[in-house]
Amino acid sequence: RARYVLACHGGEAATRERLGVNLLGDTLDVRWIVIDGKVKRWWPNRHILTFWSDRERPVVDIALGRDNHRWEIPLKPGETDADFAGHDDVWPLLESVGVSRDDIDIHGYAFYSHHIRSAEKWRLGERLFLLGDAAHLMPPWAGTGMQSGIRDAFNLAWKIAGVLDGTLPEAILDSYEAERRPNVDFYTEVSVQLGRIIKQELTEEEQQALAAQGDEPPPLLWPPFYVAGWF
């Protein structure tokens, strides 16, 4: 028994699906493989997050904690999950970016697609709320998916605490989606456009406009703000 339920259980959200809430938006056609490895020896610049910009096969190259490392690599047209049935099938992908069996041990890999989707509503009835990937999904290029989920939780938790202890009216809970959805939409668009840069999909006009920004800080470094102003 609870007065409120916060559904924070990821993109494959059973609660959202059982209640018939739709995820609106698109899923991109390209399938991606995520490879996790345990580092056996250091290589130059291993600690630097790197995007391998390429039209055919861009790569996300991420140093993780405790000597773990991750690569995210798109499958080419005609390739499927079944083509990578074991570690020996995965190794050519890592070798193409200069990683050898002397550098790492593969300890897991998985497949996923890039989603640009948001639930049609984030509050279900009076007492249930969707947060994080249960409410919205974005491509990983800007690294803002989990951060957006943390912001969701921070925004909603103090309001619910205030309602429960009687210091805030229940109407304040309506501000959760009103404040958070525009921010999630903003970072989703940032992620999409950053991906287009890395995948070399910008038109010549877009490249010129990007170069013309000069020293203006990129959107990821902008201070936080509410689109509709303060509540």
Side-chain angles (χ1 to χ4, degrees), residues 99-161:
V99 180
S100 75
R101 296 172 192 248
D102 295 327
D103 298 320
I104 70 158
D105 287 326
I106 296 175
H107 61 68
Y109 62 94
F111 302 90
Y112 76 107
S113 300
H114 288 185
H115 302 285
I116 308 168
R117 295 183 177 272
S118 185
E120 55 189 338
K121 52 186 175 180
W122 296 6
R123 184 177 187 178
L124 314 179
E126 295 297 318
R127 303 195 301 150
L128 196 148
F129 298 84
L130 301 176
L131 291 78
D133 283 0
H136 45 77
L137 296 162
M138 66 182 72
W141 299 109
T144 54
M146 179 175 286
Q147 292 180 28
S148 294
I150 292 171
R151 293 186 182 112
D152 291 347
F154 185 88
N155 183 287
L156 185 57
W158 71 266
K159 296 172 182 175
I160 286 182

Side-chain angles (χ1 to χ4, degrees), residues 8-222:
C8 322
H9 45 7
E12 296 181 0
T15 301
R16 184 192 64 231
E17 293 171 358
R18 288 178 63 182
L19 293 173
V21 178
N22 295 317
L23 268 182
L24 307 179
D26 297 307
T27 296
L28 303 186
D29 293 335
V30 178
R31 193 78 166 146
W32 287 70
I33 183 172
V34 182
I35 308 166
D36 285 334
K38 190 72 174 179
V39 176
K40 296 160 66 175
R41 69 177 185 182
W42 186 270
W43 61 86
N45 297 326
R46 187 196 79 80
H47 60 295
I48 298 176
L49 167 64
T50 305
F51 293 105
W52 298 68
S53 180
D54 186 77
R55 290 189 179 184
E56 184 174 285
R57 189 161 251 168
V59 177
V60 184
D61 185 331
I62 313 168
L64 304 176
R66 296 183 180 274
D67 288 331
N68 292 293
H69 207 95
R70 174 172 292 172
W71 293 266
E72 301 184 22
I73 304 173
L75 304 188
K76 292 182 178 180
E79 292 179 334
T80 67
D81 300 6
D83 294 323
F84 302 92
H87 289 184
D88 286 341
D89 303 308
V90 173
W91 267 113
L93 297 176
L94 294 177
E95 290 167 348
S96 70
V97 292
V99 180
S100 75
R101 296 172 192 248
D102 295 327
D103 298 320
I104 70 158
D105 287 326
I106 296 175
H107 61 68
Y109 62 94
F111 302 90
Y112 76 107
S113 300
H114 288 185
H115 302 285
I116 308 168
R117 295 183 177 272
S118 185
E120 55 189 338
K121 52 186 175 180
W122 296 6
R123 184 177 187 178
L124 314 179
E126 295 297 318
R127 303 195 301 150
L128 196 148
F129 298 84
L130 301 176
L131 291 78
D133 283 0
H136 45 77
L137 296 162
M138 66 182 72
W141 299 109
T144 54
M146 179 175 286
Q147 292 180 28
S148 294
I150 292 171
R151 293 186 182 112
D152 291 347
F154 185 88
N155 183 287
L156 185 57
W158 71 266
K159 296 172 182 175
I160 286 182
V163 172
L164 293 177
D165 68 17
T167 59
L168 291 173
E170 190 169 31
I172 197 173
L173 301 181
D174 290 331
S175 69
Y176 162 61
E177 182 177 345
E179 291 178 344
R180 288 298 305 135
R181 185 185 284 274
N183 188 258
V184 168
D185 290 345
F186 171 79
Y187 280 105
T188 300
E189 181 62 18
V190 168
S191 185
V192 168
Q193 294 305 322
L194 182 57
R196 293 184 64 229
I197 294 172
I198 297 164
K199 293 182 289 183
Q200 299 185 17
E201 293 178 350
L202 297 185
T203 65
E204 185 172 337
E205 292 76 14
E206 289 173 320
Q207 293 180 44
Q208 292 173 354
L210 190 65
Q213 292 180 2
D215 295 331
E216 180 182 341
L220 283 175
L221 299 181
W222 290 1

